[in-house]
Amino acid sequence: MKRTSTGVKTTIFYTTLKSPVGTIYITFTKNGVSRIDLNIGSEKNFIKDFGDSLKNVVKKNHRGIPQLKKALRAYFSPDGKQPSFKYPIDLLEGTPFERKVWHMIKKIPYGKVVSYKDIAMKIGKPKAVRAVGSACGKNPLPIIIPCHRVIAKDKGLGGYSPGIKIKRKLLEIEGVNI
């Protein structure tokens, strides 16, 4: 069980998906998807990330979230269209500022990029460019919240928690040449 921002305990399930960027680990609760981990390595590393207090309540469940797995498979086998990621989300983390940034990032169209500065301007915090970058780094749902579509003003890829190689691959899948 993990205590959520509302103080309620919840069981976290996980499943995996093979992809062109490696094994993806997906966590979810009865309310929706809560985390997607790219470039995590082994299942042992994935479980280790939850820490000792959560190891016994993170349970493997490969039957859960079939619609999301189907959408992710479609994303990695693109036919020129963005797949629908309308699966329910259960964010178990994030400050109000981070959630605001993530909400804005979800609006970036498939195959398009914007700068960290653009996001800061759109949320009404033009001087918060670094904070936007930090929020991107804490994004628990890469691909669904497509922070790989946020780049530096000078067109540099900047940081990306799963790694620049994966960011480049995701942009390549979407037809973006940087």
Side-chain angles (χ1 to χ4, degrees), residues 36-172:
I36 295 176
D37 285 313
L38 308 173
N39 199 27
I40 199 78
S42 69
E43 188 168 10
K44 183 179 176 182
N45 288 344
F46 171 74
I47 297 296
K48 183 180 174 186
D49 274 1
F50 279 94
D52 292 335
S53 64
L54 293 177
K55 284 181 185 172
N56 294 327
V57 296
V58 177
K59 304 186 183 319
K60 189 180 277 188
N61 177 343
H62 287 303
R63 293 184 309 254
I65 63 170
Q67 310 95 311
L68 178 59
K69 287 174 100 172
K70 182 178 179 182
L72 285 167
R73 282 187 194 100
Y75 176 85
F76 287 111
S77 303
D79 59 3
K81 297 185 292 186
Q82 178 177 11
S84 173
F85 290 115
K86 297 201 180 204
Y87 193 81
I89 292 174
D90 187 12
L91 286 175
L92 301 175
E93 52 199 282
T95 66
F97 177 83
E98 289 166 345
R99 287 172 183 241
K100 191 177 209 179
V101 169
W102 300 336
H103 179 73
M104 190 57 62
I105 289 171
K106 281 181 69 174
K107 295 179 181 184
I108 303 170
Y110 180 89
K112 303 290 182 194
V113 293
V114 301
S115 72
Y116 296 100
K117 177 74 172 176
D118 293 334
I119 297 295
M121 298 292 284
K122 287 180 181 181
I123 64 169
K125 303 280 186 185
K127 294 183 180 183
V129 176
R130 293 184 94 145
V132 167
S134 179
C136 287
K138 294 177 182 176
N139 174 9
L141 296 171
I143 301 174
I144 292 175
I145 300 173
C147 57
H148 62 277
R149 297 179 189 152
V150 184
I151 62 172
K153 191 175 180 181
D154 67 0
K155 305 287 186 202
L157 293 184
Y160 186 62
S161 296
I164 295 297
K165 185 176 176 183
I166 291 177
K167 183 172 189 168
R168 190 177 309 281
K169 179 68 175 173
L170 297 177
L171 291 172
E172 178 184 302

